[in-house]
Amino acid sequence: MALDAAPMADGFGRRFHYLRLSVTEVCNFSCTYCLPNGWKKTGPLSFLTVEEIGRLVAGFSGLGLSKVRLTGGEPTVRKDFNAIIQTVAAAPGVAKVAMTTNGWNLARHAVDWRASGLSHINVSIDSIDPETFHRITGHDKLNQVLTGLDLALAEGFSAVKVNAVLLRETAEAGFDGWARFVRDRPVAVRFIELMKTTDNDEYFARHHVKAQGLRDWLDQNGWTPAPRAFDAGPALEYRHPDHAGAIGLIAPYSPGFCDSCNRLRVTARGKLRLCLFGDGGVDLRDLLQDDDDRDLLVQRIVSSLGGKSAGHALALGRSGDLRNLAQLGG
Ligand code: SAM
Ligand code: SF4
C-alpha cells in the first residue's frame, strides 16, 4: 500500500522513527516532581492490552518505525510486561526495544527481559546519595536499583543509560560524585531539566535550575561534547578521556530543543500525542480492535502528523495539559 511506504514526517522536515509508548499510568514510586502523593486510582484501569499494542506497533512499523520505548507510569508493574516486550520486538522493522524504568525490579528481571527482546534500558536515578534518593522517590531502594543497573550492564544490553532529573538540591550538591560514578561504568548519565506540568507549578518554581550550570561544570572539568549521530534526539552527551561513561543533558528549555525532535508518543489509553507539552491527543484505540483496521490506523497516524507544531511554547509559560509525566511517560 502506498501509504505504508511513506516515512512518518511532518511539515518541518522532521522524521519520526521513534515511538514512546506508555503501557500504564500506575507507578509504585512517589517522586517529588512527578507523583508526590503516589499514584491514585481515579478511574478504570483500561490500559492498552497486549493485542492492542501489537496492532498499534504494526501500524507504526509500516511507516518506518525502528525504535519503541516502553514507559509509563512504571512499565514494569505490568504483569504481562514480558509479553509486551515480545510483541513489540516481533514487529517488522523494530530494531530497538527500549524501556524507561525506576529500576525497582531490574535485578530480578533483566535476564528474562533481555531474552524477550528488550535491547535498551534507561534507569531513573536522581541521586547516588541513598538518603537523597529515598527523599526524592519515597523509597529507600538505591542499592536495589544500582544492583539492577550493574546486572543490566553485565547482561550485554545494547545500551544502558541513567536518567537523573536536574533539581536545585542535586545540582547544588555538585557533579563530582556522578563523575566518579561513570569513571569505570560504561554508562551515560543524562540530566533532564525539570519540566513544568500542571501539577507541579509550585515545585517547579522552587526546584528548577537551568542546564547551563551543568554545561559550565562539564567545560571546566575537561568534558567535551561527543559527536552526534545524524538521527540523535535532543540529548547532548559529553565524554572525558579518564571516564568509561558519559554525562549528558536534556534541556527542553534551551532554544532549538524541538528542532531534532524524532519521536511520537502514545498514551497508555491509546491516544497519539504529538508533543509532550501539547494538549489532548488523537484517539487511536477504536482502530486497535481489529487487524482489518490497519489501513485506517495508518491513515489516521499520517494525517495527524500535520498537526505537530514546530516547537513547544514553554518560553511563553505554556506547558500543555499534562498533569504529570507518569500520565504519558516523559
Ligand atoms: N517510571 C519510570 C521512570 O521513572 O523511569 C518511567 C516513567 S517516568 C515519567 C520517565 C522519566 O521522566 C523519568 O526519568 C523521570 O525522572 C522523568 N520525569 C518525570 N517527571 C519529570 C519532570 N517533571 N521533569 C523532568 N523529568 C521528569
Ligand atoms: Fe513513578 Fe517514574 Fe513518576 Fe517516579 S518519575 S513517580 S518512578 S512515573
Side-chain angles (χ1 to χ4, degrees):
M1 196 196 69
L3 265 177
D4 268 22
M8 289 179 283
D10 69 2
F12 304 97
R14 295 174 299 191
R15 291 186 162 209
F16 304 100
H17 59 87
Y18 176 14
L19 173 67
R20 290 188 168 215
L21 173 59
S22 175
V23 297
T24 181
E25 292 163 8
V26 179
C27 187
N28 54 345
F29 276 22
S30 43
C31 301
T32 46
Y33 47 79
C34 182
L35 293 172
N37 303 313
W39 175 80
K40 299 269 187 296
K41 188 168 188 272
T42 50
L45 297 187
S46 53
F47 305 131
L48 293 178
T49 63
V50 176
E51 253 196 330
E52 289 173 319
I53 289 173
R55 293 193 186 107
L56 178 83
V57 176
F60 276 95
S61 94
L63 290 163
L65 182 74
S66 62
K67 175 174 175 183
V68 177
R69 175 173 300 281
L70 302 170
T71 179
E74 173 51 40
T76 69
V77 300
R78 272 195 63 158
K79 298 253 186 313
D80 53 1
F81 190 57
N82 252 320
I84 294 176
I85 297 173
Q86 285 161 5
T87 302
V88 173
V94 175
K96 298 180 182 174
V97 183
M99 77 156 165
T100 304
T101 177
N102 61 29
W104 72 290
N105 59 355
L106 188 53
R108 204 176 325 140
H109 290 293
V111 174
D112 45 292
W113 291 336
R114 173 134 172 74
S116 293
L118 189 71
S119 58
H120 293 63
I121 301 187
N122 283 20
V123 189
S124 301
I125 305 173
D126 297 327
S127 170
I128 41 172
D129 170 59
E131 202 185 298
T132 313
F133 180 94
H134 186 173
R135 192 160 10 93
I136 293 174
T137 62
H139 289 264
D140 187 12
K141 288 194 163 63
L142 179 64
N143 275 339
Q144 189 175 316
V145 174
L146 290 181
T147 303
L149 175 76
D150 287 333
L151 203 144
L153 279 169
E155 199 45 44
F157 284 93
S158 303
V160 179
K161 296 182 180 175
V162 169
N163 288 355
V165 178
L166 192 58
L167 300 171
R168 185 171 300 282
E169 68 168 314
T170 50
E172 282 172 359
F175 302 103
D176 294 343
W178 282 109
R180 284 192 293 278
F181 186 80
V182 299
R183 185 182 299 272
D184 299 315
R185 273 193 188 89
V187 68
V189 175
R190 290 125 50 99
F191 289 92
I192 310 171
E193 228 180 287
L194 178 65
M195 300 178 218
K196 192 163 146 195
T197 62
T198 59
D199 274 0
N200 76 4
D201 257 29
E202 205 192 303
Y203 184 95
F204 180 87
R206 275 186 287 125
H207 295 273
H208 176 254
V209 281
K210 290 197 171 138
Q212 191 55 42
L214 172 58
R215 275 198 197 97
D216 294 345
W217 181 90
L218 290 163
D219 287 345
Q220 287 154 14
N221 288 278
W223 294 79
T224 49
R228 281 169 64 73
F230 79 99
D231 62 345
L236 294 173
E237 278 189 11
Y238 289 69
R239 294 208 162 259
H240 189 292
D242 300 338
H243 295 261
I247 294 186
L249 54 97
I250 300 173
Y253 292 87
S254 297
F257 178 77
C258 302
D259 300 351
S260 55
C261 184
N262 61 0
R263 61 209 55 197
L264 297 171
R265 295 177 165 85
V266 171
T267 70
R269 294 173 197 268
K271 278 198 172 168
L272 172 64
R273 181 91 177 194
L274 298 170
C275 175
L276 188 55
F277 302 106
D279 294 290
V282 179
D283 204 350
L284 303 178
R285 201 160 190 181
D286 57 308
L287 299 179
L288 302 178
Q289 306 314 312
D290 196 319
D291 292 337
D292 290 345
D293 285 337
R294 184 159 172 262
D295 289 353
L296 290 172
L297 173 67
V298 168
Q299 277 164 21
R300 194 176 291 170
I301 295 168
V302 170
S303 65
S304 303
L305 283 177
K308 185 162 164 82
S309 59
H312 60 57
L314 293 175
L316 305 173
R318 293 205 298 269
S319 52
D321 63 3
L322 200 61
R323 289 205 317 277
N324 51 60
L325 265 69
Q327 271 193 301
L328 189 55

